[in-house]
PDB file of all heavy atoms in Angstrom:
ATOM      1  N   ASP A 189     266.531 -41.747-285.475  1.00 87.00           N
ATOM      2  CA  ASP A 189     265.858 -40.546-284.955  1.00 87.00           C
ATOM      3  C   ASP A 189     265.831 -39.431-285.993  1.00 87.00           C
ATOM      4  O   ASP A 189     264.804 -38.761-286.179  1.00 87.00           O
ATOM      5  CB  ASP A 189     266.567 -40.061-283.675  1.00 87.00           C
ATOM      6  CG  ASP A 189     266.426 -41.046-282.533  1.00 87.00           C
ATOM      7  OD1 ASP A 189     265.471 -41.851-282.580  1.00 87.00           O
ATOM      8  OD2 ASP A 189     267.246 -41.016-281.602  1.00 87.00           O
ATOM      9  N   HIS A 190     266.958 -39.222-286.677  1.00 87.00           N
ATOM     10  CA  HIS A 190     266.977 -38.161-287.696  1.00 87.00           C
ATOM     11  C   HIS A 190     266.111 -38.535-288.893  1.00 87.00           C
ATOM     12  O   HIS A 190     265.496 -37.666-289.521  1.00 87.00           O
ATOM     13  CB  HIS A 190     268.418 -37.906-288.137  1.00 87.00           C
ATOM     14  CG  HIS A 190     268.588 -36.641-288.922  1.00 87.00           C
ATOM     15  ND1 HIS A 190     268.469 -35.388-288.350  1.00 87.00           N
ATOM     16  CD2 HIS A 190     268.833 -36.422-290.244  1.00 87.00           C
ATOM     17  CE1 HIS A 190     268.642 -34.467-289.276  1.00 87.00           C
ATOM     18  NE2 HIS A 190     268.861 -35.062-290.432  1.00 87.00           N
ATOM     19  N   TRP A 191     266.057 -39.820-289.209  1.00 86.00           N
ATOM     20  CA  TRP A 191     265.191 -40.274-290.309  1.00 86.00           C
ATOM     21  C   TRP A 191     263.724 -40.010-289.975  1.00 86.00           C
ATOM     22  O   TRP A 191     262.942 -39.638-290.860  1.00 86.00           O
ATOM     23  CB  TRP A 191     265.431 -41.753-290.568  1.00 86.00           C
ATOM     24  CG  TRP A 191     264.542 -42.345-291.620  1.00 86.00           C
ATOM     25  CD1 TRP A 191     264.706 -42.278-292.972  1.00 86.00           C
ATOM     26  CD2 TRP A 191     263.344 -43.103-291.403  1.00 86.00           C
ATOM     27  NE1 TRP A 191     263.690 -42.935-293.614  1.00 86.00           N
ATOM     28  CE2 TRP A 191     262.829 -43.454-292.676  1.00 86.00           C
ATOM     29  CE3 TRP A 191     262.657 -43.515-290.277  1.00 86.00           C
ATOM     30  CZ2 TRP A 191     261.672 -44.196-292.832  1.00 86.00           C
ATOM     31  CZ3 TRP A 191     261.494 -44.249-290.424  1.00 86.00           C
ATOM     32  CH2 TRP A 191     261.012 -44.585-291.683  1.00 86.00           C
ATOM     33  N   LEU A 192     263.326 -40.183-288.727  1.00 86.00           N
ATOM     34  CA  LEU A 192     261.952 -39.880-288.322  1.00 86.00           C
ATOM     35  C   LEU A 192     261.649 -38.392-288.491  1.00 86.00           C
ATOM     36  O   LEU A 192     260.536 -38.017-288.909  1.00 86.00           O
ATOM     37  CB  LEU A 192     261.727 -40.306-286.865  1.00 86.00           C
ATOM     38  CG  LEU A 192     261.623 -41.808-286.599  1.00 86.00           C
ATOM     39  CD1 LEU A 192     261.416 -42.061-285.107  1.00 86.00           C
ATOM     40  CD2 LEU A 192     260.486 -42.434-287.384  1.00 86.00           C
ATOM     41  N   LYS A 193     262.622 -37.525-288.152  1.00 85.00           N
ATOM     42  CA  LYS A 193     262.393 -36.096-288.340  1.00 85.00           C
ATOM     43  C   LYS A 193     262.234 -35.751-289.823  1.00 85.00           C
ATOM     44  O   LYS A 193     261.362 -34.962-290.195  1.00 85.00           O
ATOM     45  CB  LYS A 193     263.561 -35.306-287.745  1.00 85.00           C
ATOM     46  CG  LYS A 193     263.660 -35.403-286.234  1.00 85.00           C
ATOM     47  CD  LYS A 193     264.837 -34.593-285.722  1.00 85.00           C
ATOM     48  CE  LYS A 193     264.950 -34.699-284.206  1.00 85.00           C
ATOM     49  NZ  LYS A 193     266.113 -33.934-283.691  1.00 85.00           N
ATOM     50  N   MET A 194     263.067 -36.347-290.661  1.00 85.00           N
ATOM     51  CA  MET A 194     262.938 -36.111-292.092  1.00 85.00           C
ATOM     52  C   MET A 194     261.602 -36.629-292.614  1.00 85.00           C
ATOM     53  O   MET A 194     260.977 -36.009-293.492  1.00 85.00           O
ATOM     54  CB  MET A 194     264.102 -36.777-292.836  1.00 85.00           C
ATOM     55  CG  MET A 194     265.465 -36.208-292.510  1.00 85.00           C
ATOM     56  SD  MET A 194     266.810 -37.056-293.363  1.00 85.00           S
ATOM     57  CE  MET A 194     266.419 -36.701-295.068  1.00 85.00           C
ATOM     58  N   LYS A 195     261.155 -37.732-292.100  1.00 83.00           N
ATOM     59  CA  LYS A 195     259.856 -38.263-292.511  1.00 83.00           C
ATOM     60  C   LYS A 195     258.732 -37.339-292.072  1.00 83.00           C
ATOM     61  O   LYS A 195     257.747 -37.141-292.806  1.00 83.00           O
ATOM     62  CB  LYS A 195     259.674 -39.660-291.903  1.00 83.00           C
ATOM     63  CG  LYS A 195     258.336 -40.298-292.232  1.00 83.00           C
ATOM     64  CD  LYS A 195     258.217 -41.653-291.559  1.00 83.00           C
ATOM     65  CE  LYS A 195     256.842 -42.247-291.823  1.00 83.00           C
ATOM     66  NZ  LYS A 195     256.682 -43.561-291.133  1.00 83.00           N
ATOM     67  N   HIS A 196     258.857 -36.772-290.873  1.00 83.00           N
ATOM     68  CA  HIS A 196     257.819 -35.869-290.375  1.00 83.00           C
ATOM     69  C   HIS A 196     257.695 -34.630-291.260  1.00 83.00           C
ATOM     70  O   HIS A 196     256.582 -34.150-291.509  1.00 83.00           O
ATOM     71  CB  HIS A 196     258.135 -35.460-288.933  1.00 83.00           C
ATOM     72  CG  HIS A 196     257.175 -34.463-288.362  1.00 83.00           C
ATOM     73  ND1 HIS A 196     255.892 -34.805-288.001  1.00 83.00           N
ATOM     74  CD2 HIS A 196     257.309 -33.140-288.100  1.00 83.00           C
ATOM     75  CE1 HIS A 196     255.270 -33.728-287.546  1.00 83.00           C
ATOM     76  NE2 HIS A 196     256.106 -32.701-287.593  1.00 83.00           N
ATOM     77  N   TYR A 197     258.805 -34.121-291.745  1.00 81.00           N
ATOM     78  CA  TYR A 197     258.791 -32.931-292.590  1.00 81.00           C
ATOM     79  C   TYR A 197     258.765 -33.255-294.088  1.00 81.00           C
ATOM     80  O   TYR A 197     259.020 -32.379-294.916  1.00 81.00           O
ATOM     81  CB  TYR A 197     260.005 -32.056-292.273  1.00 81.00           C
ATOM     82  CG  TYR A 197     259.947 -31.427-290.905  1.00 81.00           C
ATOM     83  CD1 TYR A 197     260.710 -31.915-289.855  1.00 81.00           C
ATOM     84  CD2 TYR A 197     259.107 -30.345-290.655  1.00 81.00           C
ATOM     85  CE1 TYR A 197     260.651 -31.346-288.583  1.00 81.00           C
ATOM     86  CE2 TYR A 197     259.047 -29.764-289.394  1.00 81.00           C
ATOM     87  CZ  TYR A 197     259.815 -30.271-288.377  1.00 81.00           C
ATOM     88  OH  TYR A 197     259.759 -29.698-287.117  1.00 81.00           O
TER      89      TYR A 197
END
Side-chain angles (χ1 to χ4, degrees):
D189 294 338
H190 194 70
W191 177 82
L192 287 179
K193 293 180 181 179
M194 296 178 63
K195 178 182 177 182
H196 176 73
Y197 292 104

